[in-house]
Amino acid sequence: MSKYALKPDELKKEFEQKKPRILKGDLAGKEWWDLPVEFRDGNWCFPGKPEVLEEIGLPNPRKWAATDEDWKLPAGWENTIRDGMKSRLKRFRSFKLFMDTCVRCGACADKCHFFLGTGDPKNMPVLRAELIRSVYRNDFTLLSKLLKSFSGSRTLTPEVIKEWHMYFNQCTECRRCSVFCPMGIDTAEITMMARELLNLIGVNNNWILAPVANCNRTGNHLGIEPHTFEQNIMSLVDDIEELTGVTVNPTFNRKGAEILFITPSGDVFGDPGVYTMMGYLLLFHHIGLDYTISTYASEGGNFGMFTSNEMMKKLNAKMYHEAKRLGVKWILGGECGHMWRVVHQYMETMNGPADFLEEPVSPITGTKFTNAKSTRMVHIAEFTADLIKHGKLRLDPKRNDHLRTTFHDSCNIARGMGMFDEPRYVLNKVCNVFHEMPENTIREQTFCCGSGSGLNAEEFMDMRMRGGFPRANAVSYVREKHKVDSLVTICAIDRASLPTLMRYWNPGVNVYGLHELVGNALVMEGEKKRTEDLREDPMAGFGEGADDE
Amino acid sequence: MTKAWEQALRDNRQSVLDGWSAGASSLLSGGTSSPVSEALTVELGRLLDAMVAGDPVDEPLSRLTRIMAVQDLPPSKSLSLLFGIVPLCGGLSADARDHFRARVEELALQAFDSFMKHRETIYQLKVDEGRRRMHMALRRAEA
């Protein structure tokens, strides 16, 4: 080392004298991490129930709450976290890279919807990552440990764990910040690692773990048993018949079908997801698709992604297992967000290669989906866009004239897959009124619904309303400017959470799945006169006495 | 001659709004440079204009309290922002000042109703969301 270089003690002294002090008032002179963490009603999610943890074999099952002073962490929890970090730094190169490379430029700071909605500095992605980087530096880099104050290192304490739990559960893994990061840091992956580490010591979220346990047991997040799953869909078949006069014929667990269709279970059980399911059923009937639905691989979503890589892999495995068992050629996937991040970015390397499947080819148009060559799974929006492009659908967009639409890009589809145009193409073919929200709130810059990554818990409602504020604000803009009253999206969590967000911030705006509008617009062979949409709301200009031709 | 409080607010609209907005935004953890603060400023402006014109204030007050009802603040502190306008309206006679203060107090009471309505909405949203999630189960149970 050069004789001119400062010695560590001198460097530390100089830094202490010169470093900027931004905290004022009672916190003057303190470090940023000394800002208190306070759990209150509305800003934390209930922890995993002991029986849920036991069911899926996660450690430290117990009754506790974030507001408790003592979180009943297991003996030796510090070593568990350190060993967990060590193992993950070795196994996940991205994690190691993201711990080392941030230059604190701040480009990400005001891109996070939780920071914009709460103003809490620890919700700036750079600072959220620092929550874990500060421990990483202390425990895994010698120089930083020696220059503790200079490097921003700190010791792992129960307060740090509380802070992690607070802020890594105020990140929806939407990756908007990563779009603006000049170093390419994906904060979502940092959050994923942090949540994995917290799960090692039993610090968790029941809204994530209960669906994981359900999915592990029955194949879907809602814990629907196979017979109920089928009955629900058949009940929607009855609704379709009543509304359109057409009887659609979905099949279940049918060996030898050409295509296996998998969608989030919210489409089979929840409102408004079921209307999107009706749209799929009408579409498949319209084109005479040879498909089947599995009551085992009955969930497109994967809350394992918010728990651990191992859990994500386990829950995802059923898709390929079932495709193999049924002998289908390829898989078609419904409208979902994080499902597509798992499928598009992890499935092939986690549970593939799926050599037993074929490169997807549309049986109707002959289009080869070369982009799905490795996963063998196609997104329904590109499948439908291709059908429309080839003139295979008989559509009457006037049937959606009672809706004035805008489109919410779902984070994982937009930023995780780069799919922006296909859903817009479909939407513009099935409805006549469409207006974009402002440029910096759509496509790759889309704002999250504020409830993704397993944060859609009721008890977290206040924070969800604040995190969803930037999205609601953009909808408010097109509502005032263009009288938009319908927010269309292609994500099941959006369909569950955006109605709530809209009702709070923009009353009068309803939320629709893209294929619900496709279902409205489809002119089916042998249909009766349509006067109502799939929700049984009257269509404009199609009432009694009106001529719909 | 001293002015009525409406005229005083009309004459100094921008400076009153700037001061009111800065005070209100200082209650928020994001300060004055966040979208929440910007939305707050827009609604304070609408409220100010409605007060001056003698128009109904229900809508701007509802929009204002909707923002405040989900902030990390106790209700008393949230609604204290309304009183921030009182010292900003200068040049009033004692009588006019009393009238103005009375009007602001009236607004605060109205805001309390509106604030509570939004809190009730939050609780209703929780219930409705649970019902929507169980839509098909409830439909079968009710059939």
Side-chain angles (χ1 to χ4, degrees):
Chain A
M1 186 182 281
S2 163
K3 63 180 181 179
Y4 301 107
L6 291 173
K7 293 192 169 52
D9 282 354
E10 293 166 338
L11 195 62
K12 188 176 172 184
K13 194 174 168 189
E14 186 178 336
F15 178 74
E16 285 300 324
Q17 286 166 350
K18 291 182 179 172
K19 75 174 178 184
R21 307 280 180 184
I22 54 168
L23 297 179
K24 299 180 176 66
D26 295 343
L27 292 162
K30 294 194 172 180
E31 298 289 351
W32 59 264
W33 54 65
D34 292 324
L35 285 166
V37 172
E38 195 184 337
F39 289 96
R40 281 182 296 271
D41 282 354
N43 79 354
W44 59 284
C45 298
F46 296 150
K49 291 179 181 170
E51 59 270 28
V52 168
L53 268 71
E54 279 158 8
E55 190 176 334
I56 45 181
L58 288 181
N60 201 17
R62 70 208 183 282
K63 283 191 174 172
W64 67 287
T67 44
D68 293 346
E69 183 62 32
D70 178 8
W71 282 15
K72 302 175 192 164
L73 301 179
W77 65 269
E78 296 97 330
N79 285 336
T80 306
I81 293 285
R82 275 192 206 102
D83 292 347
M85 260 181 108
K86 191 175 178 182
S87 145
R88 280 157 186 80
L89 286 163
K90 272 189 188 163
R91 282 192 290 142
F92 302 108
R93 200 166 46 176
S94 56
F95 184 41
K96 175 85 171 76
L97 199 65
F98 298 157
M99 286 295 99
D100 286 328
T101 51
C102 178
V103 292
R104 323 292 192 276
C105 69
C108 62
D110 59 352
K111 308 304 184 296
C112 172
H113 53 288
F114 271 113
F115 175 66
L116 292 172
T118 64
D120 187 333
K122 287 182 189 171
N123 270 328
M124 291 190 285
V126 56
L127 207 46
R128 189 183 291 111
E130 281 296 309
L131 301 177
I132 196 163
R133 277 198 194 107
S134 52
V135 173
Y136 162 75
R137 283 191 216 102
N138 190 61
D139 292 349
F140 294 93
T141 60
L142 185 62
L143 193 62
S144 297
K145 194 168 188 173
L146 287 173
L147 299 170
K148 197 165 180 168
S149 176
F150 179 76
S151 64
S153 310
R154 62 171 170 172
T155 311
L156 189 59
T157 63
E159 282 63 43
V160 171
I161 295 297
K162 290 183 178 182
E163 200 178 42
W164 285 9
H165 186 52
M166 168 78 98
Y167 292 103
F168 288 113
N169 283 293
Q170 285 181 32
C171 166
T172 46
E173 304 182 8
C174 80
R175 303 170 79 223
R176 189 169 192 267
C177 51
S178 68
V179 171
F180 300 90
C181 177
M183 308 299 286
I185 295 171
D186 184 346
T187 307
E189 294 220 1
I190 298 177
T191 295
M192 286 162 81
M193 288 296 116
R195 290 194 189 176
E196 273 203 41
L197 293 171
L198 290 170
N199 267 300
L200 295 176
I201 56 171
V203 176
N204 44 40
N205 171 347
N206 197 63
W207 218 87
I208 295 172
L209 295 187
V212 166
N214 285 338
C215 203
N216 189 51
R217 190 178 66 254
T218 67
N220 58 69
H221 288 159
L222 292 165
I224 313 167
E225 304 287 347
H227 58 286
T228 313
F229 190 84
E230 184 175 338
Q231 282 167 5
N232 276 347
I233 293 178
M234 292 316 290
S235 171
L236 298 176
V237 168
D238 292 343
D239 287 358
I240 288 172
E241 188 170 351
E242 205 169 298
L243 273 166
T244 68
V246 175
T247 309
V248 300
N249 297 298
T251 63
F252 299 90
N253 309 318
R254 178 166 59 88
K255 288 187 176 177
E258 184 172 0
I259 292 164
L260 169 62
F261 178 64
I262 301 176
T263 197
S265 60
D267 288 352
V268 180
F269 219 70
D271 172 1
V274 289
Y275 306 113
T276 302
M277 187 74 198
M278 289 163 78
Y280 302 143
L281 295 173
L282 279 164
L283 174 71
F284 299 156
H285 186 83
H286 188 84
I287 58 174
L289 193 69
D290 177 14
Y291 76 105
T292 194
I293 296 170
S294 168
T295 56
Y296 159 61
S298 51
E299 176 63 67
N302 189 330
F303 275 28
M305 183 185 168
F306 315 133
T307 309
S308 70
N309 274 271
E310 288 72 22
M311 193 59 82
M312 168 167 64
K313 179 179 176 175
K314 185 181 183 192
L315 299 185
N316 171 258
K318 65 180 181 287
M319 289 191 180
Y320 281 159
H321 282 173
E322 191 65 336
K324 193 172 192 176
R325 187 181 76 84
L326 297 175
V328 300
K329 288 183 181 171
W330 53 277
I331 309 171
L332 180 62
E335 297 180 13
C336 185
H338 72 276
M339 157 184 169
W340 282 100
R341 177 140 202 225
V342 176
V343 167
H344 189 70
Q345 298 191 335
Y346 305 124
M347 181 165 78
E348 200 264 338
T349 47
M350 276 191 314
N351 289 312
D355 297 335
F356 52 90
L357 295 173
E358 295 177 12
E359 184 179 335
V361 176
S362 170
I364 314 301
T365 66
T367 298
K368 269 190 179 180
F369 293 99
T370 51
N371 56 326
K373 193 173 182 176
S374 65
T375 61
R376 318 281 160 107
M377 186 157 174
V378 175
H379 192 288
I380 185 99
E382 48 189 347
F383 180 73
T384 305
D386 174 64
L387 290 169
I388 296 174
K389 182 88 178 165
H390 285 86
K392 300 295 182 187
L393 302 185
R394 194 172 163 212
L395 297 164
D396 181 2
K398 289 202 298 292
R399 294 182 178 190
N400 283 312
D401 275 357
H402 56 307
L403 309 175
R404 299 179 65 83
T405 69
T406 190
F407 183 69
H408 163 73
D409 290 271
S410 309
C411 306
N412 284 291
I413 304 289
R415 285 187 281 267
M417 292 183 81
M419 185 187 284
F420 310 118
D421 295 318
E422 291 86 344
R424 285 178 170 79
Y425 177 77
V426 174
L427 187 53
N428 277 298
K429 294 290 180 184
V430 300
C431 76
N432 288 318
V433 185
F434 168 70
H435 295 282
E436 287 280 17
M437 286 182 270
E439 191 183 356
N440 61 342
T441 70
I442 56 168
R443 300 173 78 90
E444 68 269 31
Q445 296 187 56
T446 185
F447 273 117
C448 179
C449 61
S451 301
S453 79
L455 303 184
N456 203 13
E458 287 153 20
E459 66 273 15
F460 199 57
M461 191 63 82
D462 288 32
M463 195 52 78
R464 285 170 50 196
M465 294 302 106
R466 296 169 77 188
F469 180 75
R471 167 45 75 221
N473 219 12
V475 176
S476 174
Y477 176 82
V478 281
R479 179 162 174 71
E480 286 177 21
K481 193 170 181 189
H482 303 293
K483 298 185 172 56
V484 160
D485 58 13
S486 304
L487 180 59
V488 182
T489 183
I490 49 172
C491 166
I493 288 183
D494 285 334
R495 281 194 290 279
S497 67
L498 285 174
T500 306
L501 190 75
M502 289 303 110
R503 203 174 137 199
Y504 188 74
W505 291 113
N506 298 309
V509 175
N510 292 315
V511 177
Y512 294 83
L514 178 67
H515 280 77
E516 179 182 346
L517 268 59
V518 171
N520 284 344
L522 277 173
V523 179
M524 304 293 288
E525 197 179 322
E527 70 176 15
K528 67 181 188 185
K529 181 176 162 59
R530 295 282 303 272
T531 57
E532 293 175 330
D533 67 8
L534 296 178
R535 297 185 184 194
E536 300 181 34
D537 288 336
M539 291 170 166
F542 287 84
E544 288 306 314
D547 182 4
D548 62 347
E549 290 302 319
Chain B
M1 185 185 159
T2 56
K3 298 182 233 178
W5 63 265
E6 291 93 338
Q7 187 61 42
L9 288 182
R10 199 174 291 126
D11 292 348
N12 302 295
R13 184 188 183 277
Q14 199 53 49
S15 64
V16 170
L17 182 58
D18 289 348
W20 201 12
S21 164
S25 296
S26 69
L27 296 170
L28 307 171
S29 40
T32 54
S33 56
S34 71
V36 180
S37 155
E38 197 178 316
L40 205 58
T41 302
V42 169
E43 302 311 335
L44 286 171
R46 285 178 176 157
L47 179 60
L48 186 61
D49 293 341
M51 285 167 70
V52 167
D55 291 340
V57 294
D58 306 30
E59 185 58 28
L61 210 50
S62 171
R63 294 166 73 113
L64 188 69
T65 50
R66 185 160 59 204
I67 296 170
M68 298 311 287
V70 288
Q71 301 306 315
D72 213 359
L73 295 166
S76 55
K77 197 162 183 185
S78 288
L79 297 182
S80 70
L81 73 86
L82 289 164
F83 296 99
I85 194 174
V86 174
L88 299 170
C89 188
L92 299 177
S93 66
D95 194 35
R97 201 165 43 242
D98 285 348
H99 276 108
F100 181 51
R101 182 172 282 277
R103 178 69 183 118
V104 173
E105 283 172 3
E106 194 185 346
L107 267 185
L109 291 173
Q110 249 181 296
F112 180 72
D113 288 347
S114 185
F115 185 95
M116 281 313 297
K117 207 169 161 185
H118 293 307
R119 288 308 309 169
E120 292 296 334
T121 301
I122 289 286
Y123 301 126
Q124 187 64 48
L125 289 173
K126 293 181 187 185
V127 174
D128 292 349
E129 198 170 78
R131 290 184 67 87
R132 280 206 315 277
R133 199 174 298 138
M134 292 290 117
H135 172 71
M136 292 302 277
L138 290 168
R139 203 170 91 161
R140 288 158 67 106
E142 288 160 5

